[in-house]
Amino acid sequence: MNKEKNNGNSKVYFDCNATAPILKEACQAALWSMERVYANPSSSHIAGAEAKLILEESRIQASKLLNVKPTEIYFTSGATEAIQISVLSVLNWIKDQIKDEPSFLNKKILISKTEHKAVYNSIIHWKKILGVNLEVVQIGVNSKGHISLDEIQEHINDTVFLCTMAVNNETGLITNLKEIEKVIRSSASKVFWLVDCVQALGKISLNFNDLSVDYATFSGHKVHAPKGIGFLYLREKAPQCSLIVGGGQERGIRAGTENHPGIAAIGVILEKLNKIKDGCLDANFKTNQELFHFRSLLLNSLVEAFPAIEINTDLENSVATTLNFSVYGFTSKELMRVFDAAGVSLSGGSACNSKSLDYSHVLEAMNLPEWRKASAIRLSFGLTTSQEEIFLGIKNIQAAGKALKNSCLNLACKIIDDSIDNNSEDSLIHGITQLEYDSSNTWLISDINTRFCVIIDPTFESIDRLISLIKCKNLNIQAVLDTHSHADHVSARSCLLEKLLLKNDACDELGWNSESNILNFNSSTWEIERLETPGHTLDSVSYFLKNKSSLDEKIECVFIGDTVLIGGLGRTDFSISDSKLFYDTIKNLDKKLHDNTILCPAHDYSQSIVTTWGTEKRNNILLKKLFDPLNCMSEKEFFAEKKLIDSQLLETNLQGKLVCGTISNSVLTDKSLPTISIEDLDASVFEIIDIRENAESILFKNWNVLNFINPPKNIPLTKIVNFFNYLINEENKNKPIALLCSTGNRSLAIAKSLRRIGIKNVWSISGGLALSQLKYDNLYNF
Ligand code: PLP
């Protein structure tokens, strides 16, 4: 068991569908192959014969397990390679058929929509290489992931190749292969059938004497053998084509000296699986009953820790070792970070890249609701996972749930439950909070002394989290405001008020509920002044946040909507835009704003958090020209240039989504990397700031492993604007600051954004906690 320490918690590894830990006996077999049986199996001396014997013994074990002939097993570097051989073999055969019978071109290739990318991409690749232009039909699945037999039936008479999988890698769903066989083998058409069995090996029984599969693919690292070894079952009479030619190894299908250590290692696993198949117990491999018991323990623990959980795995028809779930109110990335901090390694069921939400194609095919796709997590344990690990996992899962609850973020159920603790630190909510979703910002300004808050530009996605924070912290909403009528989305203002059972007593369309331009929200700290800033839309306004407790009633920041974006200006080509008014607005803003005034826009397309007026004037070519005292741009020239910029704004810039202004990937002018390694960091000189969210931060307290004298201050990313505000002050601008997060990615983005607005002595600790810990754990010392 992996006993790495993580703040005193041991870590537990639940990502076995990605790669399972290698069984000790498999490691020993690989080592033994390297140290003792290192000869080339093709050599004709005794040492070579010994090596060959091991290799063939592993092949026999594979054939026995699948009930096929040893000559039908081919060792490969892994499943991806086995898939290539299968696809190439069939497509090459098809190519030959087309020569004799051109109508063969009308045949189809069927592939399930939930197949691993390796299968789909291989088909597309080899089709192109071989010039075999057959139609590829993607067969749909139902909401549980079961393949549509009707759709297969519909196409089967014109089909030549079908690709399905035995067990899905993301959900654990078992495919009923017998049912598929019935459909395809009752057709008049000769269909070659590839079944990807990577996630099935060792988990369900596979008997190819009783199932007419032509190609089946397997991977070592999913079954506790090393990476770099896999195998292919290729039915004797099915088409074959060499993928790699050379010395004729693997009967010429896959030449190259064999990966003997890998083959020896997988041989050990296969031998064990055969013994289990014969009814023996194994000290390491759990029985199916034990695995299902583990799953129910984990499931109970997840439901208890995250009441708003939804299980995406069809529990009735899935292997025991995979649990795919979503937690309402969180993205996969957020959940993964908290699990990681709690010492549970698992995998995000959807990849969120910086600009858009990139959902899992499996969950997409299952047509799950948007939030479930965005929040999906895959927990997968292994065939050798111990009860001790399961108990540790449960303990860590509980810690993750509790940490989220304490940070007022764990949505207790889809409608907020009043039982949420509100004992988390008040400082975490005071000031400005940024809730970002898919590049749109929602801002919450709160005063924890008087418990008043104002919300600016709420999005639908932020509603539940806002409600959770508001209820948890007993905040009273003073106003819910929009900076303009959004062209890209409907305001969520009324929906938010409705959900909170609050009356909408706003005076105007944007939610302003005061007769004057000042909103003094019963706070000793904050005051908001409204300024009309029309142009992007006719009704655009900006909200100036003043700090009443500062001597000069300093403007903390301006919620500027889309008028000024980070690295760009709001577009003025909508029917509700006015470029003349926009020009006046920009001129007017310049009179009101200082160079150091922080601007909080409604969108953050470049993950830069905020900007300052001075930064935009320095970097934005149009603003630069407009405010150049030597060459002041005329109003006419401004219109012409602005029109040109707007015309270049493709509406499809963000995957078909409307964008509200210039999106620039190059907002960062300084290309140098502001990183510092943990070894170079003098903790007595730098102020170290942990920018992970509070839930992650409270799960890690073992700072002395990093030689930090004091625990770093936690300023979560959602509250980092307040820190920007602090650092922008002249007296703080040069303070040496080192930012820390879990992997160094978030801290680097923040360090770059701070550099961009002129804070020069700020650094990101490279590799974050993960790498720093690795160094201190001496993981590289074998
Ligand atoms: N097929 C499935 C279902 C998988 O889960 C994987 C690995 O994630 C593969 C194929 C590719 O396997 P390998 O890593 O051995 O190439």
Short mmCIF file of all heavy atoms in Angstrom, two decimals, residues 70-88:
data_model
loop_
_atom_site.label_atom_id
_atom_site.label_comp_id
_atom_site.label_asym_id
_atom_site.label_seq_id
_atom_site.Cartn_x
_atom_site.Cartn_y
_atom_site.Cartn_z
N PRO A 70 -2.74 -20.68 -28.24
CA PRO A 70 -1.60 -19.78 -27.98
C PRO A 70 -1.16 -19.03 -29.23
O PRO A 70 -0.72 -17.89 -29.15
CB PRO A 70 -0.50 -20.73 -27.49
CG PRO A 70 -1.22 -21.93 -26.99
CD PRO A 70 -2.47 -22.06 -27.80
N THR A 71 -1.33 -19.66 -30.39
CA THR A 71 -0.89 -18.99 -31.63
C THR A 71 -1.81 -17.82 -32.01
O THR A 71 -1.54 -17.09 -32.96
CB THR A 71 -0.88 -20.00 -32.79
OG1 THR A 71 -2.12 -20.70 -32.74
CG2 THR A 71 0.29 -20.96 -32.69
N GLU A 72 -2.88 -17.67 -31.27
CA GLU A 72 -3.78 -16.55 -31.56
C GLU A 72 -3.46 -15.34 -30.65
O GLU A 72 -4.18 -14.34 -30.68
CB GLU A 72 -5.24 -16.99 -31.37
CG GLU A 72 -5.68 -18.00 -32.43
CD GLU A 72 -7.08 -18.53 -32.18
OE1 GLU A 72 -7.36 -18.99 -31.05
OE2 GLU A 72 -7.91 -18.49 -33.11
N ILE A 73 -2.41 -15.48 -29.84
CA ILE A 73 -2.04 -14.38 -28.93
C ILE A 73 -0.76 -13.71 -29.46
O ILE A 73 0.22 -14.38 -29.78
CB ILE A 73 -1.77 -14.92 -27.50
CG1 ILE A 73 -3.00 -15.62 -26.93
CG2 ILE A 73 -1.27 -13.81 -26.56
CD1 ILE A 73 -4.19 -14.73 -26.65
N TYR A 74 -0.78 -12.37 -29.51
CA TYR A 74 0.38 -11.60 -29.98
C TYR A 74 0.72 -10.57 -28.91
O TYR A 74 -0.15 -9.77 -28.53
CB TYR A 74 0.05 -10.88 -31.29
CG TYR A 74 -0.25 -11.84 -32.42
CD1 TYR A 74 -1.53 -12.39 -32.55
CD2 TYR A 74 0.74 -12.22 -33.32
CE1 TYR A 74 -1.80 -13.29 -33.58
CE2 TYR A 74 0.47 -13.12 -34.34
CZ TYR A 74 -0.81 -13.65 -34.46
OH TYR A 74 -1.08 -14.54 -35.47
N PHE A 75 1.95 -10.57 -28.45
CA PHE A 75 2.34 -9.55 -27.47
C PHE A 75 2.60 -8.23 -28.18
O PHE A 75 3.18 -8.19 -29.27
CB PHE A 75 3.55 -10.01 -26.66
CG PHE A 75 3.21 -11.08 -25.67
CD1 PHE A 75 3.66 -12.38 -25.82
CD2 PHE A 75 2.36 -10.80 -24.60
CE1 PHE A 75 3.31 -13.37 -24.92
CE2 PHE A 75 2.00 -11.78 -23.69
CZ PHE A 75 2.47 -13.07 -23.86
N THR A 76 2.16 -7.17 -27.53
CA THR A 76 2.32 -5.82 -28.10
C THR A 76 2.82 -4.90 -26.98
O THR A 76 3.01 -5.34 -25.85
CB THR A 76 0.96 -5.27 -28.59
OG1 THR A 76 0.09 -5.19 -27.45
CG2 THR A 76 0.34 -6.14 -29.66
N SER A 77 2.97 -3.63 -27.32
CA SER A 77 3.42 -2.68 -26.30
C SER A 77 2.27 -2.24 -25.40
O SER A 77 2.48 -1.55 -24.41
CB SER A 77 4.04 -1.45 -26.96
OG SER A 77 3.02 -0.76 -27.65
N GLY A 78 1.06 -2.58 -25.78
CA GLY A 78 -0.09 -2.17 -24.97
C GLY A 78 -1.33 -2.30 -25.83
O GLY A 78 -1.27 -2.81 -26.96
N ALA A 79 -2.44 -1.84 -25.30
CA ALA A 79 -3.70 -2.00 -26.03
C ALA A 79 -3.75 -1.11 -27.27
O ALA A 79 -4.28 -1.51 -28.30
CB ALA A 79 -4.86 -1.70 -25.11
N THR A 80 -3.19 0.08 -27.16
CA THR A 80 -3.26 0.99 -28.31
C THR A 80 -2.63 0.33 -29.53
O THR A 80 -3.16 0.39 -30.64
CB THR A 80 -2.59 2.33 -27.97
OG1 THR A 80 -3.25 2.87 -26.82
CG2 THR A 80 -2.69 3.33 -29.10
N GLU A 81 -1.51 -0.34 -29.30
CA GLU A 81 -0.84 -1.00 -30.43
C GLU A 81 -1.67 -2.20 -30.93
O GLU A 81 -1.78 -2.42 -32.13
CB GLU A 81 0.55 -1.47 -30.00
CG GLU A 81 1.38 -1.92 -31.17
CD GLU A 81 2.76 -2.35 -30.72
OE1 GLU A 81 3.61 -1.47 -30.50
OE2 GLU A 81 2.97 -3.56 -30.58
N ALA A 82 -2.25 -2.92 -29.98
CA ALA A 82 -3.09 -4.06 -30.37
C ALA A 82 -4.27 -3.58 -31.21
O ALA A 82 -4.69 -4.24 -32.17
CB ALA A 82 -3.56 -4.80 -29.13
N ILE A 83 -4.80 -2.43 -30.85
CA ILE A 83 -5.93 -1.85 -31.60
C ILE A 83 -5.47 -1.50 -33.02
O ILE A 83 -6.16 -1.77 -34.00
CB ILE A 83 -6.49 -0.61 -30.85
CG1 ILE A 83 -7.19 -1.05 -29.56
CG2 ILE A 83 -7.44 0.19 -31.74
CD1 ILE A 83 -7.47 0.07 -28.56
N GLN A 84 -4.26 -0.92 -33.12
CA GLN A 84 -3.74 -0.56 -34.46
C GLN A 84 -3.66 -1.79 -35.35
O GLN A 84 -4.05 -1.76 -36.51
CB GLN A 84 -2.31 0.03 -34.41
CG GLN A 84 -2.07 1.17 -33.48
CD GLN A 84 -2.92 2.37 -33.77
OE1 GLN A 84 -2.95 2.87 -34.89
NE2 GLN A 84 -3.62 2.84 -32.77
N ILE A 85 -3.14 -2.89 -34.79
CA ILE A 85 -2.98 -4.11 -35.60
C ILE A 85 -4.35 -4.59 -36.08
O ILE A 85 -4.53 -4.92 -37.25
CB ILE A 85 -2.26 -5.23 -34.79
CG1 ILE A 85 -0.86 -4.76 -34.40
CG2 ILE A 85 -2.20 -6.53 -35.61
CD1 ILE A 85 -0.09 -5.72 -33.49
N SER A 86 -5.33 -4.57 -35.18
CA SER A 86 -6.67 -5.04 -35.55
C SER A 86 -7.25 -4.17 -36.66
O SER A 86 -7.74 -4.68 -37.68
CB SER A 86 -7.62 -4.96 -34.35
OG SER A 86 -7.00 -5.43 -33.19
N VAL A 87 -7.20 -2.86 -36.45
CA VAL A 87 -7.82 -1.94 -37.41
C VAL A 87 -7.10 -2.02 -38.75
O VAL A 87 -7.72 -2.13 -39.82
CB VAL A 87 -7.82 -0.50 -36.84
CG1 VAL A 87 -8.26 0.51 -37.89
CG2 VAL A 87 -8.72 -0.42 -35.60
N LEU A 88 -5.77 -2.02 -38.69
CA LEU A 88 -4.99 -2.10 -39.93
C LEU A 88 -5.32 -3.40 -40.66
O LEU A 88 -5.50 -3.40 -41.89
CB LEU A 88 -3.50 -2.02 -39.58
CG LEU A 88 -2.51 -2.29 -40.72
CD1 LEU A 88 -2.63 -1.22 -41.81
CD2 LEU A 88 -1.07 -2.31 -40.21
#
